[in-house]
Structures are given as structure tokens and as C-alpha cells.
């Protein structure tokens, strides 16, 4: 059974090294992610050939419907998602264990691969349910559409030149008016960021994660995680949690207060995080998800100013393998 024994240090090291060094590396597939999602139970599966790992899949399970468990490989598996048969083999391996021991009703993944009709048809032919309805943009766990900036081979000056003129103006305005951006990994910085995140969530009428969640992210990912804070005359105006992993630097969470918003601190803060990605040598800067292209949505317009109108990335959505139809329908209807 190609499942990693979490108590076998050598096996976990081998698995983790493959996941982190793969060209398909994803932070949410790293074993460290289980420290963040600490109320889920982790399992780690892999395929190998001639002693070399070909593919891996980190799966988290939680009871979700009719007393049965959801098994979720967030942004997995770690392999070429266009290789449908390899993904199917990876699912077969995980299923052979989880269906027997964990009483799962669903095994799901949502790889970061662009959608196209041929790929979707191939997954459906392989026995997957593909969920990506544009009529229900909030129906998937992760947003299907992300806004990503391709920084490959570009200098800071070249990237700036590619931003919308208003975005460049706001970056420079913030710096000219005295906004300062710094980063830290300290507990004090996490709390300062959390305050901005809480204020922003209240202002927009949305829910937010507790402070402990962000503390776990920072503890789990170490030097790959930073808190960025934009300040003016010593007052924190905005904050962000940024994660750099594999080929991507990811603006994971953000927040802002209600003070001095005219100073455009978020623009300068984003620019400093983009520059960190350049320092790290990652190809992509990921501004995070959007659920729909909406010109009246301020967040969409903000991100569009950095990546342009043509850089909305629509992924294939969720790939489901279902083992209990009644539990699956109950889960979808929640």
C-alpha cells in the first residue's frame, strides 16, 4: 500500500521532499498544511516506479454528511493535472484505503489547471464528476477563477510598466505621501495583521477566520510565510499574509482599517509582496480568487489593475469521485 506512515520519519521526509521539489508543488498539498487545518485528519499517498515517486496526493478528511467523511485533496494531486490517467491512478490508490477505513462518501480534488472542453470530457470519461458551473460561482470550495501575474523574466521596471496607469500612480502616491511597508514573522505582526483583517471583514459584511488560524499558517510554513504591514506615521493601515511556495508567491489574506484609505496603502503593500516574489524567483504572483468578473466589484478592479483584463485564470473546478449518492447530495445542498 503506497501510503506514507506518518510515524516513519524517513518516509515522511522522502514524501515531503518530492512534494516540495515537484514542478507541480502546491502549498496546500504540503504536509505542513495539516498543521493549519488541524481539525482534519491527514493521509498521504504516492505512486512510484523503479523506486522513484511519480505522483503524490495529500488528503484531509472530516465528517461532513450523514455521519460520513469528505476526503479532500486541496489543489492536488502533485503531478501533471493534464495527465488524466495518472490522476485516476492516484485516486485509485487513495480510494483503496480511504473507502475501507474512513467511510468516505466523496474523494475530491481541485487542481490548478486551465479548463477546456477536451480536458473536462477526459475526466468525465475517466469516471469523475466535474463541478464548475458558471451559474453558481460560490458552489465550489475554492474560487474557480484566480488572478495571477506572470513575472517570469521581468524586471521591476518592466512589471511596473505593465500595470494600469492608475495602479502605478497609486503605488507612487502611497510612497510619496509617507506610507511605509515592512514585513515580519513576529507574533505582534500577526496580531496587527489580524486586526486589519477583522476590520475589513466587518466593513464588507463577510466572515473571517480566527487569529489562531493565521498563527498556524505562520508556524507551519516558517520562512515561506511573511506578514506585510503598511503604516503611516506609526499607524497600521493595512496588512497581508503572503506565502511563497514552489513556483508561486501567494497573497493569501489581507485587510485594511478605515483610516487614511486615500493614501492607497494596499497598492504599495502589494508591490512590495510582488518584489518578494521576484527575489524568491517564483514565476507567479497570485492575487487570489474571484468568483466572477464584475466591473462593480472593487476587489476585482483592484486586482485587474495589476494583472490586466486578460489574466483571469479559470480552472477546471472540482473533480469528484462519489461513493454515497445520498450523502453527496446532502453535502451539495448545504
Amino acid at each position: 500500500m503506497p501510503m506514507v506512515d506518518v510515524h516513519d520519519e524517513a518516509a515522511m521526509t522522502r514524501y515531503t521532499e518530492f512534494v516540495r521539489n515537484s514542478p507541480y508543488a502546491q502549498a496546500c498539498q504540503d504536509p505542513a498544511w495539516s498543521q493549519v487545518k488541524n481539525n482534519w485528519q491527514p493521509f498521504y499517498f504516492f505512486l512510484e516506479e523503479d523506486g522513484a515517486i511519480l505522483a503524490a496526493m495529500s488528503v484531509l478528511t472530516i465528517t461532513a454528511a450523514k455521519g460520513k467523511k469528505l476526503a479532500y485533496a486541496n489543489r492536488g494531486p502533485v503531478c501533471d493535472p493534464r495527465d488524466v490517467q495518472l490522476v485516476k491512478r492516484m485516486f485509485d490508490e487513495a480510494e483503496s484505503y480511504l473507502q475501507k477505513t474512513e467511510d468516505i462518501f466523496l474523494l475530491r480534488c481541485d487542481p490548478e489547471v486551465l479548463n477546456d472542453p477536451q480536458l473536462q470530457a477526459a475526466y468525465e470519461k475517466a469516471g469523475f464528476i466535474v463541478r464548475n458551473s458558471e451559474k453558481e460561482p460560490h458552489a465550489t470550495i475554492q474560487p474557480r477563477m484566480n488572478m495571477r501575474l506572470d513575472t517570469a523574466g521581468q524586471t521591476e521596471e518592466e512589471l511596473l510598466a505593465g500595470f494600469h496607469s492608475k495602479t502605478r500612480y497609486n503605488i507612487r502616491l502611497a510612497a510619496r505621501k509617507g506610507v511605509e511597508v515592512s514585513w515580519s514573522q513576529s507574533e505582534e505582526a500577526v496580531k496587527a495583521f489580524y486586526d486589519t483583517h477583522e476590520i475589513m471583514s466587518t466593513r464588507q459584511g463577510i466572515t473571517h477566520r480566527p487569529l489562531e488560524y493565521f498563527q498556524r499558517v505562520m508556524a507551519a510554513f516558517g520562512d515561506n510565510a511573511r506578514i506585510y504591514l503598511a503604516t503611516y506615521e506609526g499607524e497600521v493601515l493595512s496588512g497581508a499574509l503572503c506565502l511563497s511556495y514552489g513556483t508561486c508567491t501567494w497573497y493569501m489574506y489581507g485587510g485594511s482599517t478605515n483610516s487614511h484609505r486615500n493614501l492607497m496603502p494596499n497598492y504599495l503593500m502589494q508591490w512590495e509582496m510582488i518584489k518578494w516574489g521576484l527575489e524568491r524567483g517564483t514565476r507567479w504572483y497570485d492575487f487570489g480568487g474571484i468568483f466572477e468578473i464584475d466591473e462593480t466589484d472593487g476587489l476585482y478592479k483592484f486586482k485587474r489593475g495589476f494583472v490586466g483584463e486578460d489574466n483571469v485564470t479559470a480552472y477546471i473546478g472540482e473533480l469528484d469521485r462519489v461513493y454515497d449518492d445520498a450523502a453527496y447530495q446532502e453535502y451539495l445542498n448545504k
Side-chain angles (χ1 to χ4, degrees):
M1 168 67 65
M3 183 182 74
V4 181
D5 179 354
V6 296
H7 302 294
D8 185 333
E9 184 175 345
M12 280 299 300
T13 297
R14 178 176 181 244
Y15 179 90
T16 302
E17 287 179 350
F18 171 81
V19 169
R20 292 178 179 174
N21 294 315
S22 169
Y24 306 102
Q26 293 282 344
C28 298
Q29 280 291 289
D30 192 292
W33 192 248
S34 67
Q35 300 174 42
V36 180
K37 308 290 286 186
N38 64 349
N39 59 326
W40 297 59
Q41 184 175 0
F43 298 90
Y44 307 108
F45 303 94
F46 63 94
L47 297 172
E48 65 179 339
E49 187 174 280
D50 297 328
I53 298 178
L54 299 177
M57 187 161 72
S58 301
V59 179
L60 301 177
T61 67
I62 195 169
T63 302
K66 292 188 177 297
K68 294 192 172 186
K69 293 182 178 180
L70 159 69
Y72 180 35
N74 188 354
R75 294 307 190 202
V78 182
C79 65
D80 184 352
R82 297 169 189 82
D83 189 337
V84 176
Q85 291 307 309
L86 184 58
V87 174
K88 182 179 182 298
R89 285 175 58 197
M90 194 73 263
F91 262 65
D92 290 343
E93 289 294 341
E95 168 189 288
S96 65
Y97 179 83
L98 294 172
Q99 205 180 356
K100 292 177 183 177
T101 65
E102 295 301 302
D103 197 19
I104 61 172
F105 69 91
L106 167 65
L107 178 56
R108 166 178 288 174
C109 72
D110 44 16
E112 287 191 346
V113 60
L114 294 178
N115 190 28
D116 68 69
Q118 289 184 334
L119 184 62
Q120 178 167 334
Y123 271 112
E124 290 171 341
K125 184 177 180 180
F128 292 88
I129 296 173
V130 182
R131 299 187 66 250
N132 58 17
S133 173
E134 294 181 4
K135 295 180 181 179
E136 300 179 71
H138 294 272
T140 54
I141 295 176
Q142 306 295 337
R144 278 192 57 236
M145 294 185 289
N146 274 38
M147 303 190 77
R148 304 179 95 191
L149 177 65
D150 188 349
T151 67
Q154 297 194 67
T155 64
E156 291 181 15
E157 292 74 18
E158 289 168 336
L159 284 171
L160 270 173
F163 298 163
H164 190 280
S165 59
K166 186 65 173 177
T167 297
R168 291 196 301 271
Y169 175 83
N170 286 337
I171 291 171
R172 290 163 177 157
L173 180 146
R176 187 170 66 250
K177 294 293 186 179
V179 175
E180 297 180 341
V181 177
S182 60
W183 67 268
S184 176
Q185 294 163 325
S186 70
E187 180 67 16
E188 293 76 13
V190 177
K191 291 178 179 177
F193 151 73
Y194 177 76
D195 288 342
T196 71
H197 185 67
E198 187 175 38
I199 292 169
M200 177 274 297
S201 299
T202 300
R203 184 173 64 240
Q204 296 185 358
I206 59 176
T207 59
H208 62 84
R209 297 189 182 278
L211 171 63
E212 292 75 19
Y213 179 88
F214 304 111
Q215 292 170 328
R216 292 197 300 270
V217 172
M218 295 299 294
F221 286 96
D223 288 340
N224 292 326
R226 285 182 175 182
I227 295 293
Y228 278 81
L229 297 173
T231 61
Y232 175 69
E233 296 182 347
E235 178 185 358
V236 175
L237 303 184
S238 58
L241 195 164
C242 192
L243 195 62
S244 190
Y245 188 96
T247 62
C248 184
T249 297
W250 175 20
Y251 166 46
M252 193 174 180
Y253 289 95
S256 60
T257 70
N258 299 318
S259 299
H260 301 294
R261 298 179 68 189
N262 61 311
L263 298 182
M264 305 299 170
N266 292 334
Y267 286 87
L268 185 60
M269 184 175 66
Q270 286 293 339
W271 177 230
E272 290 300 322
M273 292 189 291
I274 291 169
K275 290 196 290 184
W276 183 39
L278 288 178
E279 293 171 13
R280 296 269 301 193
T282 55
R283 174 174 180 178
W284 302 99
Y285 182 82
D286 194 331
F287 284 88
I290 60 170
F291 286 98
E292 55 189 334
I293 299 173
D294 182 359
E295 291 293 334
T296 67
D297 183 346
L299 185 60
Y300 165 71
K301 292 179 70 174
F302 172 76
K303 295 178 180 181
R304 187 191 63 186
F306 289 90
V307 305
E309 296 180 357
D310 299 326
N311 286 312
V312 176
T313 304
Y315 297 131
I316 193 169
E318 294 170 343
L319 308 178
D320 288 356
R321 189 177 281 181
V322 178
Y323 312 103
D324 185 317
D325 288 330
Y328 183 60
Q329 289 305 316
E330 177 184 296
Y331 175 70
L332 294 182
N333 292 333
K334 284 185 178 180

